[in-house]
Amino acid sequence: MQPSRGLLGIVCAAVLAVSGLSACTADGDTDPAAVDAKSATGDQKVVPAPPGKYRKLPEPCGSLEPDTLKKLVPNAPDYTGDAELTYDTNRRVGCTWTGETSQGNRYLQIDFERVVSYDPGVSDEAQAESDYDAKVLQAGIPTTPATPGAPATTPPVAPPGSPAGLPGQTPTTAPATSPVTSPDLAPRLLADVGDAAFLDDELMTRDSGVHRDITLVFRTANVLVTVSYAQWSADKATAPQSADLQQGAEQVADVLVKTIK
């Protein structure tokens, strides 16, 4: 005896409630088309992106040899360095050294950041790459090589009577010595440091003197490293030169790449 269509409908409804399918045939069987649609459009779990290559950071104050530090920041009170205050040494660490030269005080700071993505669909390395790109954009680094023979430029110093470029800065005349004279020393991308790198060069003049900051940022997998190398001089007539500071920053970066494991 064949079951009635009403009974088939009740059975089909029960099956649908359990399986989440959306249709039955007139005979009470589940509709194959509905099964295919369910498998194609049903909820699917996002497969988490793989974790970053690096899971820990090096000890920053021990990253550089004492002989290297003595050349970069001579006459420092000590070379153990001042560790950056941090609450998670697996995510961020840093160290600073201060020395003195005949041309002015020298400052060296290194900072390691292990980038972690909080989006399961974005890997740590992809997030680090995005963060690095944002730093390039923020620094205004040219993404194309400088034209050979074209003079590099630095931000002009405000002449007397014009608005100061920085809060609390008194306008002054430009330094007598040109801070950057070669396109090779202009802010730029670097080709041989980590997976990607750039170098920025800033000159600031204030009442108390002139300050040059070299900032080198590089990325290796999911770690971002920032090297800040600066010199302060009370003699505003002669600005700290780029070549020596940039060379020092690149030397430090070359060492730090090898410390990340």
Side-chain angles (χ1 to χ4, degrees), residues 39-40 59 101 109-110 115 131 140 171 196 202 204 215 233 237 241-242:
S39 62
E59 198 291 302
T101 72
Q109 181 180 44
I110 61 176
V115 177
D131 291 353
E202 290 187 287
M204 294 174 285
T215 304
S233 175
Q241 297 299 291
S242 288

Side-chain angles (χ1 to χ4, degrees), residues 20-55:
L21 299 176
S22 58
C24 287
T25 65
D27 294 330
D29 296 325
T30 56
D31 187 348
V35 175
D36 292 341
K38 173 65 178 178
S39 62
T41 62
D43 294 337
Q44 295 182 3
K45 293 183 179 179
V46 176
V47 178
K53 177 179 179 181
Y54 299 110
R55 307 305 301 273

Side-chain angles (χ1 to χ4, degrees), residues 23 58 60 66 70 76 78 95 113 124 126 134 155 162 166 202 215 220-221 223:
K70 289 176 182 178
D78 67 77
C95 194
E113 179 186 2
D124 295 344
S162 64
L166 295 172
E202 290 187 287
T215 304
T220 176
V223 173

Side-chain angles (χ1 to χ4, degrees), residues 64-210:
L64 300 172
E65 295 291 336
D67 288 345
T68 299
L69 290 169
K70 289 176 182 178
K71 293 178 181 178
L72 296 172
V73 281
N75 304 311
D78 67 77
Y79 290 98
T80 58
D82 294 321
E84 179 182 335
L85 179 62
T86 180
Y87 298 99
D88 187 349
T89 55
N90 281 325
R91 290 292 307 277
R92 193 159 197 165
V93 293
C95 194
T96 303
W97 297 266
T98 303
E100 185 177 352
T101 72
S102 58
Q103 288 79 37
N105 293 335
R106 286 272 178 97
Y107 307 91
L108 174 63
Q109 181 180 44
I110 61 176
D111 179 272
F112 295 87
E113 179 186 2
R114 184 175 67 87
V115 177
V116 175
S117 170
Y118 293 102
D119 184 341
V122 178
S123 69
D124 295 344
E125 185 165 341
Q127 185 61 54
E129 185 174 359
S130 177
D131 291 353
Y132 168 82
D133 290 342
K135 290 178 181 291
V136 173
L137 184 63
Q138 183 179 16
I141 304 300
T143 56
T144 56
T147 302
T153 60
T154 54
V157 180
S162 64
L166 295 172
Q169 175 180 330
T170 301
T172 61
T173 57
T177 303
S178 175
V180 176
T181 58
S182 167
D184 294 336
L185 299 177
R188 62 197 181 278
L189 299 178
L190 301 176
D192 300 319
V193 183
D195 296 324
F198 72 84
L199 183 147
D200 196 15
D201 186 325
E202 290 187 287
L203 182 67
M204 294 174 285
T205 303
R206 297 180 178 174
D207 286 344
S208 54
V210 61

